[in-house]
Every structure is written in structure tokens, then in C-alpha cells.
Amino acid sequence: MTEPVPLMEPRLRFFADLRVEVGAPQEVGRTVHGLRRLIPITGGLAKGDGWQARVMPGGADFQLIVSDTLAELDARYTLETDGGDLVYVQNRAVRSGPPELMARLLRGEVVDPAQIYFRCSPQFETASPALRWVGERMFTGTGARFPDAVAMRFWELM
């Protein structure tokens, strides 16, 4: 039997706090996979260490409400940094919680974020040479849904 190779345990380094503003949900309806919804992204702000960006309007969060306790999210939008660089974001997430709290979220009501499991895996793409590194790393995050916005914190996996 061979000895296991010593591998570095991942660490987290703060990357950014985001507030993504959202519009009224567009409900497609219940399909064979679950309840499909599209949430328009209307703006917002991202702030990291020494930089900030605006969330450009025109993106959307494509949601699949799988059950009364689970939602799968796939948000796609663009950031424009304070330096004028554009960064495409695709953020896949899982949101789960007790049925009564998940139903309140669907109705647009305020729910204590500590009562909902909201974890995400953002990926970034950019043509900016200075920001190329963001497309070469993995990130993770946590979030909270509010009636008019989603608050998130992203960390780089080191």
C-alpha cells in the first residue's frame, strides 16, 4: 500500500461583498423539474479590498424550486469595476430551509438569513489582463435573500 500524498488543506481569503438588486420574479410555472422562475437583476454593488464594481442591469437569476425545502439558483450578470473592466459572473447556488420559511421567501417576505442555508459557487470571466487571475481560481460564498436584493460574500479558495 502506498502512503498518502500530503495535500494542502484549502483556506479561504475574502474576495468581495455584493448587494445584487433584483426585480419582480417572472414565474414560468411548474414544469417536470419543478417551479421555474426568472428573477431580473437590476443593479447593485460589489466591494472588495481596494476595489469596487457596479452590478450592471440586464442579468438574471434562473431559479428552479425543486421542492418545498430546496431551490437551485443560477445567476448570471456582469460587473463593471471602478477601473472600467467588465467581469462576467455565473453564480450557482443552493438555498434550502424549512418549508414554511422557503414559502415566505417565494412570496417576497423577509426571512432571518440565519434560518436559511444559502451557499454558492461563483465563477468569473474577463478580458482584462489585470483581472485574468479571477478566471483561474475557484471561489465560494454565502448569501441572504431580501425582498429587493441578494446580499453575498465571496471568498477565494486558496
Side-chain angles (χ1 to χ4, degrees):
M1 182 174 258
T2 61
E3 292 295 316
V5 176
L7 299 173
M8 187 174 92
E9 191 170 306
R11 294 174 291 123
L12 299 177
R13 178 168 61 188
F14 171 76
F15 179 65
D17 283 323
L18 287 85
R19 178 177 171 81
V20 177
E21 298 164 0
V22 296
Q26 300 169 8
E27 201 162 292
V28 174
R30 194 156 299 281
T31 72
V32 296
H33 299 288
L35 176 62
R36 290 252 180 223
R37 294 167 29 116
L38 180 107
I39 314 297
I41 292 174
T42 60
L45 185 65
K47 292 180 102 173
D49 285 331
W51 67 274
Q52 71 177 28
R54 73 181 182 106
V55 177
M56 298 178 73
D61 182 5
F62 303 91
Q63 298 185 350
L64 178 62
I65 311 305
V66 178
S67 70
D68 62 353
T69 62
L70 175 64
E72 295 175 351
L73 316 176
D74 183 5
R76 298 169 188 230
Y77 51 94
T78 304
L79 301 176
E80 182 180 28
T81 69
D82 46 6
D85 294 313
L86 297 179
V87 179
Y88 172 75
V89 181
Q90 180 175 4
N91 189 21
R92 292 188 176 104
V94 171
R95 190 168 61 209
S96 65
E100 61 278 3
L101 296 182
M102 295 296 285
R104 287 180 55 201
L105 281 177
L106 283 179
R107 291 191 301 265
E109 297 174 14
V110 176
V111 173
D112 178 1
Q115 301 298 310
I116 301 293
Y117 180 88
F118 186 153
R119 300 294 182 270
C120 58
S121 178
Q123 293 180 298
F124 304 97
E125 293 178 38
T126 184
S128 166
L131 297 175
R132 178 180 163 181
W133 70 274
V134 300
E136 299 171 347
R137 298 291 185 272
M138 291 186 77
F139 296 83
T140 190
T142 188
R145 177 70 156 99
F146 298 98
D148 63 345
V150 177
M152 291 171 288
R153 177 164 284 173
F154 294 163
W155 292 272
E156 177 189 359
L157 284 168
M158 304 291 297

